[in-house]
Amino acid sequence: MKIELEEVIELGYPLKIINWIEQNDRMADLLSRGDALTTHPMEQGFEAEVIRLNDEENGSYVLKVWSKASKPDVRFQFRLLSALNERGLSVSKPIGWGINSNEDTVLLTSYDGTSVNQLDDRKMKEIANLLSQLHLLDVVELSHLQLPKFDFVDYFYPGISGHLDLHEVLIHLVGMTNINQDRMIHGDFHLGNLVEENERYTVIDWTNGQLGDSRYDFAWSLILKKIYIPERYADLFRSAYLSAIPIPQEELELYEAIAILRWILLNRNGHTPKGPNTLQKVKHLIQSNSLLQGMGFHDLQ
């Protein structure tokens, strides 16, 4: 699937020819606006095209289009966003989901700002609070969504059996803990999945939303911050989260080790951004973790 964005911008994206399967009241107004909507391409993801729709009277929206090959559960994302909005979480407001003329699934949501760039102490604490609020949700209130639950290793470490060095360590570490899939998790809570506008921060991209282990969800987010942002801000994020949801240090170190293995696997598959010091930071994390010390993964030599 590939939308020709130049063509979309020139002609305007035809919301009216999308088969909207579920929608809220805002959709009727947007459909009536027709040609008043202007379209602009946004930064694209791995599996979807993203387009911003602007309406001078009613603000901006985001249209996300997935190919048939990616097979996302857009119906679930729409209903999850609706439920999280109702409970006061800072997520995009869903407008509607449906299928376009290419039989690709689409999701229309509110536009909530631009990528988080400049960091400061207050911002890191706010971001940590967003994650802790999600993890403290009463999942019983979300039972009507039939939250999915996946096999932990298969879902977060696809193909790891083909990397014997990683697989052996992962299975050993997972065996040391009790994976509790009893909380609502985001699955990929990093700065790239946050946007900001007028000092309000919004969590986006709920493709991996599921019932999972909040300790792992936090550890993955923390490891990414330790790798990609200054240590000071990663520590602030850590402290703010743990003040809301304490995790014993020994337990957190175990989940951090498991999260580091995920980064290494993704790196081998070419799915991690890397700067001049990225690998050095990863090596430092390995040597600083008592469960990984001394392990020499071939791609980090």
Side-chain angles (χ1 to χ4, degrees):
M1 181 270 294
K2 188 69 176 177
I3 297 174
E4 297 298 333
L5 290 177
E6 295 82 359
E7 182 177 331
V8 169
I9 294 170
E10 181 181 351
L11 301 178
Y13 200 87
L15 292 181
K16 291 184 178 179
I17 67 171
I18 293 174
N19 177 24
W20 295 106
I21 297 172
E22 290 185 84
Q23 57 188 273
N24 66 15
D25 295 339
R26 183 65 61 86
M27 182 65 76
D29 183 57
L30 282 174
L31 292 174
S32 70
R33 298 287 294 161
D35 295 339
L37 296 174
T38 60
T39 57
H40 309 270
M42 298 177 64
E43 183 176 347
Q44 307 304 302
F46 286 115
E47 297 181 331
E49 299 284 351
V50 188
I51 302 166
R52 179 177 175 181
L53 303 178
N54 290 337
D55 183 344
E56 290 185 2
E57 292 187 9
N58 298 298
S60 297
Y61 304 86
V62 174
L63 184 69
K64 197 168 184 178
V65 186
W66 287 267
S67 69
K68 294 188 290 292
S70 62
K71 298 180 181 179
D73 190 345
V74 180
R75 171 183 177 273
F76 170 72
Q77 288 189 52
F78 177 85
R79 295 185 174 185
L80 175 61
L81 289 173
S82 298
L84 296 180
N85 262 286
E86 290 171 2
R87 285 154 182 81
L89 269 77
S90 187
V91 301
S92 298
K93 295 178 176 61
I95 310 301
W97 80 274
I99 301 174
N100 69 10
S101 56
N102 293 324
E103 298 185 358
D104 302 321
T105 51
V106 304
L107 177 67
L108 185 67
T109 69
S110 58
Y111 172 83
D112 297 289
T114 57
S115 300
V116 175
N117 292 314
Q118 296 296 324
L119 300 178
D120 56 44
D121 294 4
R122 180 191 61 82
K123 191 173 296 189
M124 295 312 301
K125 293 176 182 177
E126 289 282 348
I127 290 171
N129 289 337
L130 290 178
L131 188 58
S132 63
Q133 288 169 17
L134 174 67
H135 292 163
L136 289 171
L137 274 180
D138 184 354
V139 294
V140 174
E141 295 183 5
L142 302 176
S143 58
H144 65 287
L145 295 174
Q146 297 182 316
L147 294 171
K149 183 188 296 186
F150 304 102
D151 179 87
F152 176 76
V153 172
D154 288 346
Y155 189 89
F156 288 109
Y157 300 83
I160 196 170
S161 60
H163 302 266
L164 297 181
D165 57 338
L166 296 180
H167 187 253
E168 181 180 350
V169 178
L170 177 65
I171 296 304
H172 173 68
L173 294 177
V174 170
M176 293 174 61
T177 189
N178 178 27
I179 299 294
N180 293 324
Q181 295 173 294
D182 59 355
R183 308 305 304 175
M184 180 72 226
I185 68 169
H186 180 271
D188 200 17
F189 190 90
H190 58 75
L191 293 180
N193 281 332
L194 292 162
V195 293
E196 62 179 328
E197 188 170 57
N198 299 324
E199 297 189 350
R200 179 180 184 270
Y201 307 98
T202 302
V203 187
I204 62 172
D205 195 349
W206 288 85
T207 305
N208 298 299
Q210 60 187 274
L211 272 180
D213 193 312
S214 59
R215 296 165 298 180
Y216 175 75
D217 205 33
F218 168 65
W220 173 243
S221 183
L222 178 59
I223 286 299
L224 291 179
K225 289 170 179 58
K226 287 184 175 183
I227 294 172
Y228 292 112
I229 67 175
E231 183 178 1
R232 161 185 167 78
Y233 292 130
D235 288 342
L236 279 168
F237 172 80
R238 178 184 184 278
S239 298
Y241 179 92
L242 294 178
S243 68
I245 307 179
I247 303 174
Q249 175 55 32
E250 183 176 321
E251 192 172 283
L252 180 56
E253 186 175 35
L254 173 57
Y255 280 93
E256 286 188 21
I258 293 172
I260 290 168
L261 295 180
R262 181 181 176 187
W263 189 92
I264 297 173
L265 177 64
L266 289 173
N267 182 61
R268 290 184 182 180
N269 294 329
H271 298 321
T272 57
K274 287 190 289 295
N277 300 316
T278 301
L279 293 182
Q280 287 79 2
K281 286 187 175 183
V282 174
K283 291 177 185 178
H284 175 72
L285 289 173
I286 291 171
Q287 295 309 315
S288 300
N289 189 295
S290 65
L291 298 163
L292 298 178
Q293 279 177 357
M295 293 187 182
F297 301 106
H298 68 80
D299 47 336
L300 297 176
Q301 300 302 314

mmCIF file of all heavy atoms in Angstrom, residues 185-201:
data_model
loop_
_atom_site.group_PDB
_atom_site.id
_atom_site.type_symbol
_atom_site.label_atom_id
_atom_site.label_comp_id
_atom_site.label_asym_id
_atom_site.label_seq_id
_atom_site.Cartn_x
_atom_site.Cartn_y
_atom_site.Cartn_z
ATOM 1 N N ILE A 185 -1.472 -1.762 29.276
ATOM 2 C CA ILE A 185 -0.166 -1.217 28.914
ATOM 3 C C ILE A 185 -0.212 -0.618 27.513
ATOM 4 O O ILE A 185 -1.070 -0.974 26.699
ATOM 5 C CB ILE A 185 0.953 -2.281 28.999
ATOM 6 C CG1 ILE A 185 0.782 -3.353 27.919
ATOM 7 C CG2 ILE A 185 1.001 -2.912 30.392
ATOM 8 C CD1 ILE A 185 1.977 -4.286 27.780
ATOM 9 N N HIS A 186 0.724 0.275 27.255
ATOM 10 C CA HIS A 186 0.835 0.886 25.927
ATOM 11 C C HIS A 186 1.643 -0.001 24.993
ATOM 12 O O HIS A 186 1.339 -0.128 23.812
ATOM 13 C CB HIS A 186 1.488 2.268 26.036
ATOM 14 C CG HIS A 186 1.636 2.976 24.726
ATOM 15 N ND1 HIS A 186 2.750 2.828 23.925
ATOM 16 C CD2 HIS A 186 0.809 3.834 24.082
ATOM 17 C CE1 HIS A 186 2.599 3.575 22.838
ATOM 18 N NE2 HIS A 186 1.441 4.207 22.906
ATOM 19 N N GLY A 187 2.699 -0.607 25.508
ATOM 20 C CA GLY A 187 3.514 -1.532 24.731
ATOM 21 C C GLY A 187 4.720 -0.916 24.062
ATOM 22 O O GLY A 187 5.667 -1.623 23.723
ATOM 23 N N ASP A 188 4.719 0.418 23.874
ATOM 24 C CA ASP A 188 5.855 1.069 23.228
ATOM 25 C C ASP A 188 5.877 2.552 23.607
ATOM 26 O O ASP A 188 5.865 3.434 22.759
ATOM 27 C CB ASP A 188 5.767 0.904 21.713
ATOM 28 C CG ASP A 188 7.114 1.109 21.014
ATOM 29 O OD1 ASP A 188 8.154 1.063 21.699
ATOM 30 O OD2 ASP A 188 7.127 1.299 19.790
ATOM 31 N N PHE A 189 5.954 2.801 24.904
ATOM 32 C CA PHE A 189 5.840 4.156 25.436
ATOM 33 C C PHE A 189 7.198 4.852 25.368
ATOM 34 O O PHE A 189 8.020 4.751 26.274
ATOM 35 C CB PHE A 189 5.348 4.092 26.889
ATOM 36 C CG PHE A 189 4.967 5.417 27.480
ATOM 37 C CD1 PHE A 189 3.668 5.894 27.377
ATOM 38 C CD2 PHE A 189 5.901 6.184 28.165
ATOM 39 C CE1 PHE A 189 3.310 7.119 27.940
ATOM 40 C CE2 PHE A 189 5.556 7.400 28.733
ATOM 41 C CZ PHE A 189 4.259 7.872 28.622
ATOM 42 N N HIS A 190 7.439 5.552 24.269
ATOM 43 C CA HIS A 190 8.675 6.323 24.117
ATOM 44 C C HIS A 190 8.334 7.720 23.613
ATOM 45 O O HIS A 190 7.169 8.011 23.273
ATOM 46 C CB HIS A 190 9.661 5.615 23.177
ATOM 47 C CG HIS A 190 9.129 5.347 21.802
ATOM 48 N ND1 HIS A 190 8.994 6.325 20.853
ATOM 49 C CD2 HIS A 190 8.683 4.200 21.228
ATOM 50 C CE1 HIS A 190 8.513 5.813 19.726
ATOM 51 N NE2 HIS A 190 8.304 4.523 19.933
ATOM 52 N N LEU A 191 9.331 8.588 23.572
ATOM 53 C CA LEU A 191 9.074 9.985 23.239
ATOM 54 C C LEU A 191 8.499 10.159 21.843
ATOM 55 O O LEU A 191 7.770 11.117 21.576
ATOM 56 C CB LEU A 191 10.359 10.809 23.386
ATOM 57 C CG LEU A 191 10.895 10.961 24.811
ATOM 58 C CD1 LEU A 191 12.162 11.806 24.811
ATOM 59 C CD2 LEU A 191 9.845 11.561 25.743
ATOM 60 N N GLY A 192 8.804 9.230 20.938
ATOM 61 C CA GLY A 192 8.248 9.311 19.593
ATOM 62 C C GLY A 192 6.759 9.052 19.540
ATOM 63 O O GLY A 192 6.100 9.373 18.544
ATOM 64 N N ASN A 193 6.211 8.470 20.612
ATOM 65 C CA ASN A 193 4.773 8.219 20.683
ATOM 66 C C ASN A 193 4.080 9.188 21.639
ATOM 67 O O ASN A 193 3.037 8.870 22.210
ATOM 68 C CB ASN A 193 4.504 6.770 21.103
ATOM 69 C CG ASN A 193 4.683 5.807 19.936
ATOM 70 O OD1 ASN A 193 4.502 6.189 18.780
ATOM 71 N ND2 ASN A 193 5.051 4.577 20.226
ATOM 72 N N LEU A 194 4.686 10.363 21.769
ATOM 73 C CA LEU A 194 4.101 11.450 22.542
ATOM 74 C C LEU A 194 4.120 12.722 21.701
ATOM 75 O O LEU A 194 5.060 12.959 20.947
ATOM 76 C CB LEU A 194 4.884 11.691 23.830
ATOM 77 C CG LEU A 194 4.820 10.598 24.902
ATOM 78 C CD1 LEU A 194 5.962 10.771 25.893
ATOM 79 C CD2 LEU A 194 3.490 10.634 25.624
ATOM 80 N N VAL A 195 3.079 13.512 21.837
ATOM 81 C CA VAL A 195 3.060 14.829 21.192
ATOM 82 C C VAL A 195 2.674 15.859 22.243
ATOM 83 O O VAL A 195 2.112 15.526 23.289
ATOM 84 C CB VAL A 195 2.071 14.883 20.000
ATOM 85 C CG1 VAL A 195 2.550 13.977 18.867
ATOM 86 C CG2 VAL A 195 0.656 14.495 20.439
ATOM 87 N N GLU A 196 2.997 17.121 21.960
ATOM 88 C CA GLU A 196 2.690 18.180 22.914
ATOM 89 C C GLU A 196 2.112 19.398 22.212
ATOM 90 O O GLU A 196 2.452 19.714 21.067
ATOM 91 C CB GLU A 196 3.940 18.575 23.701
ATOM 92 C CG GLU A 196 5.071 19.138 22.861
ATOM 93 C CD GLU A 196 6.284 19.530 23.705
ATOM 94 O OE1 GLU A 196 6.092 19.950 24.861
ATOM 95 O OE2 GLU A 196 7.411 19.408 23.206
ATOM 96 N N GLU A 197 1.230 20.073 22.921
ATOM 97 C CA GLU A 197 0.644 21.319 22.438
ATOM 98 C C GLU A 197 0.141 22.101 23.646
ATOM 99 O O GLU A 197 -0.633 21.573 24.457
ATOM 100 C CB GLU A 197 -0.507 21.040 21.471
ATOM 101 C CG GLU A 197 -1.036 22.290 20.777
ATOM 102 C CD GLU A 197 -2.002 21.958 19.660
ATOM 103 O OE1 GLU A 197 -3.008 21.274 19.946
ATOM 104 O OE2 GLU A 197 -1.753 22.366 18.504
ATOM 105 N N ASN A 198 0.597 23.343 23.759
ATOM 106 C CA ASN A 198 0.188 24.207 24.880
ATOM 107 C C ASN A 198 0.425 23.530 26.232
ATOM 108 O O ASN A 198 -0.441 23.550 27.117
ATOM 109 C CB ASN A 198 -1.285 24.603 24.733
ATOM 110 C CG ASN A 198 -1.547 25.391 23.464
ATOM 111 O OD1 ASN A 198 -0.716 26.188 23.029
ATOM 112 N ND2 ASN A 198 -2.694 25.160 22.855
ATOM 113 N N GLU A 199 1.594 22.903 26.362
ATOM 114 C CA GLU A 199 2.013 22.242 27.604
ATOM 115 C C GLU A 199 1.110 21.073 27.991
ATOM 116 O O GLU A 199 1.061 20.662 29.153
ATOM 117 C CB GLU A 199 2.104 23.251 28.760
ATOM 118 C CG GLU A 199 3.162 24.327 28.510
ATOM 119 C CD GLU A 199 3.393 25.195 29.737
ATOM 120 O OE1 GLU A 199 2.610 25.083 30.703
ATOM 121 O OE2 GLU A 199 4.352 25.980 29.733
ATOM 122 N N ARG A 200 0.414 20.529 27.034
ATOM 123 C CA ARG A 200 -0.376 19.311 27.253
ATOM 124 C C ARG A 200 0.268 18.197 26.446
ATOM 125 O O ARG A 200 0.595 18.375 25.261
ATOM 126 C CB ARG A 200 -1.826 19.497 26.810
ATOM 127 C CG ARG A 200 -2.704 18.245 26.996
ATOM 128 C CD ARG A 200 -4.135 18.511 26.540
ATOM 129 N NE ARG A 200 -5.001 17.372 26.806
ATOM 130 C CZ ARG A 200 -5.197 16.371 25.952
ATOM 131 N NH1 ARG A 200 -4.580 16.385 24.772
ATOM 132 N NH2 ARG A 200 -6.010 15.372 26.266
ATOM 133 N N TYR A 201 0.434 17.040 27.069
ATOM 134 C CA TYR A 201 1.115 15.918 26.430
ATOM 135 C C TYR A 201 0.105 14.811 26.168
ATOM 136 O O TYR A 201 -0.725 14.491 27.030
ATOM 137 C CB TYR A 201 2.265 15.427 27.312
ATOM 138 C CG TYR A 201 3.171 16.568 27.688
ATOM 139 C CD1 TYR A 201 3.047 17.204 28.927
ATOM 140 C CD2 TYR A 201 4.102 17.070 26.773
ATOM 141 C CE1 TYR A 201 3.838 18.280 29.257
ATOM 142 C CE2 TYR A 201 4.892 18.147 27.102
ATOM 143 C CZ TYR A 201 4.759 18.756 28.340
ATOM 144 O OH TYR A 201 5.536 19.844 28.643
#
